[in-house]
Amino acid sequence: MEDKVSGLHHITAIAGNAKQNLDFYTKVLGQRFVKKTVNFDDPGTYHFYFGNETGIPGTVLTFFPWQNVRQGYNGTGMATNIGYSVPEGSLEFWANRFKEFNVKHEELFEKFGEQHLPFQDPDGLKIDFVVANKEDERKPWVTNEIKSDVATKGFHSVTLTLKRPEPTVAVLTGILGYHLLKQEGNHYRFITDSIDNANVVDLIIAPDVPAGLNAAGTNHHVAFRVKDDNILMDYREKVLSKGYNITPKIDRDYFYSLYFREPGGVLFELATDNPGFTKDESLNELGTHLKLPNQYESARAQIEKVLPDLN
Ligand code: ZN
């Protein structure tokens, strides 16, 4: 990995019911539950992390399940679709599985020469399973029902819907190291060559579409991957030098983060590979304990009492 942004680190979205969210991602989609913790800014709410075996960056979708949150909707200034990479020949399995589990899904379609199967999670979050043109060598997490010939490999892409392209393109190309690969009408594909997977950002330019509402069933932010906190802080300088506001370094226990809102309205994060999810649980036990950051450990009993039931 280079000393540059290496594609996506994680994507964070908002859910309603916690148990419904957990069951959908682990049972229906076969993701590994890599960490059960709380929202560090709101410890009465869970923060769930789903990914592959180790929760390596580029595979990790995270949720804040807020039990009584209103329904959100997509619009401009948001990440409006998540693309997961799946093996060639697996889309029929997934279409059948979505029928079996009553998952809302649509017909297959092709975009930039790749097959997409679009569906929604129980809160209406929009996801596409994508068969990438290039073989995806990442090792998937497998379950009894979802074997390696169909299991997701991690992210393929994220799609941002924007009023106009220029301000966001300036960030993607001028700071994050992406370049334009293709354009079809109002769809633009940006890619970084710094890594082979989870390296695509698609833009949909929709000047007449109103802003979205960031609540249940929508994405909260998109995190880009850097190797460690030294490189993270180099990026902090870079973002500041371009005239954008950015947070100080924040310790998220499993990675270090910076947040800035790109001028098209999407909340971006930069997040490190270190220290990773095995910081406080062994690889075998990932996701099996409620892990709290140090500042909340003394309040564990009260926190456990208010968190929603997952059984
Ligand atoms: Zn994040």
Side-chain angles (χ1 to χ4, degrees), residues 25 47 56 64 76 104 159 171 175 240 256 267 270-271 283:
Y25 284 92
H47 192 180
I56 196 169
F64 300 129
T76 43
K104 211 168 164 187
T159 300
V171 171
I175 300 175
L240 283 171
Y256 296 93
L267 185 59
L270 291 158
L283 187 57

Side-chain angles (χ1 to χ4, degrees), residues 4-268:
K4 303 203 259 195
V5 164
S6 298
L8 297 170
H9 185 284
H10 65 272
I11 298 171
T12 294
I14 301 171
N17 184 282
K19 180 177 163 40
Q20 176 179 264
N21 178 258
L22 176 63
D23 286 350
F24 182 77
Y25 284 92
T26 57
K27 293 180 183 160
V28 180
L29 298 192
Q31 301 295 296
R32 187 172 195 194
F33 190 25
V34 293
K35 196 62 68 180
K36 176 166 65 173
T37 182
V38 294
N39 182 330
F40 290 8
D41 305 313
D42 175 15
T45 301
Y46 277 119
H47 192 180
F48 292 159
Y49 290 80
F50 304 109
N52 74 350
E53 181 183 19
T54 56
I56 196 169
T59 72
V60 180
L61 180 57
T62 99
F63 286 92
F64 300 129
W66 276 304
Q67 294 293 111
N68 297 310
V69 69
R70 65 188 290 197
Q71 184 63 43
Y73 50 85
N74 274 343
T76 43
M78 290 172 81
T80 51
N81 189 278
I82 296 166
Y84 269 102
S85 169
V86 294
E88 195 173 356
S90 67
L91 292 179
E92 194 184 344
F93 166 88
W94 285 109
N96 288 332
R97 190 165 176 84
F98 294 160
K99 274 185 208 115
E100 184 186 341
F101 287 90
N102 290 317
V103 176
K104 211 168 164 187
H105 63 288
E106 291 160 57
E107 292 300 308
L108 293 179
F109 70 95
E110 194 177 302
K111 181 174 177 179
F112 294 122
E114 295 173 326
Q115 286 290 313
H116 286 238
L117 173 62
F119 65 98
Q120 297 180 22
D121 84 356
D123 291 294
L125 187 72
K126 287 188 158 56
I127 301 174
D128 285 4
F129 276 177
V130 184
V131 177
N133 281 329
K134 196 168 56 88
E135 178 121 18
D136 189 333
E137 308 282 355
R138 290 176 292 177
K139 191 167 167 257
W141 176 248
V142 297
T143 69
N144 284 337
E145 295 182 16
I146 298 164
K147 309 290 188 197
S148 62
D149 58 333
V150 295
T152 64
K153 308 269 193 174
F155 293 136
H156 166 275
S157 53
V158 67
T159 300
L160 315 180
T161 300
L162 303 165
K163 289 263 184 206
R164 58 197 189 96
E166 294 83 3
T168 304
V169 169
V171 171
L172 287 173
T173 59
I175 300 175
L176 303 179
Y178 283 72
H179 62 89
L180 180 66
L181 184 70
K182 289 178 186 168
Q183 183 193 351
E184 289 177 0
N186 64 336
H187 290 243
Y188 295 72
R189 169 154 295 182
F190 284 83
I191 192 162
T192 175
D193 298 327
S194 62
I195 193 159
D196 288 336
N197 303 110
N199 59 350
V200 171
V201 177
D202 283 342
L203 307 183
I204 299 175
I205 306 307
D208 301 328
V209 171
L213 176 70
N214 194 210
T218 64
N219 291 302
H220 187 266
H221 63 264
V222 176
F224 294 90
R225 174 183 187 185
V226 294
K227 189 167 66 182
D228 59 33
D229 30 332
N230 288 326
I231 297 163
L232 186 76
M233 295 314 274
D234 292 344
Y235 272 96
R236 187 167 191 277
E237 290 308 308
K238 203 164 176 182
V239 171
L240 283 171
S241 76
K242 302 275 184 182
Y244 306 111
N245 291 316
I246 187 164
T247 65
K249 181 169 89 170
I250 298 173
D251 182 352
R252 291 301 185 197
D253 270 15
Y254 311 107
F255 44 85
Y256 296 93
S257 289
L258 300 168
Y259 299 83
F260 69 106
R261 197 167 293 278
E262 61 83 22
V266 185
L267 185 59
F268 278 2

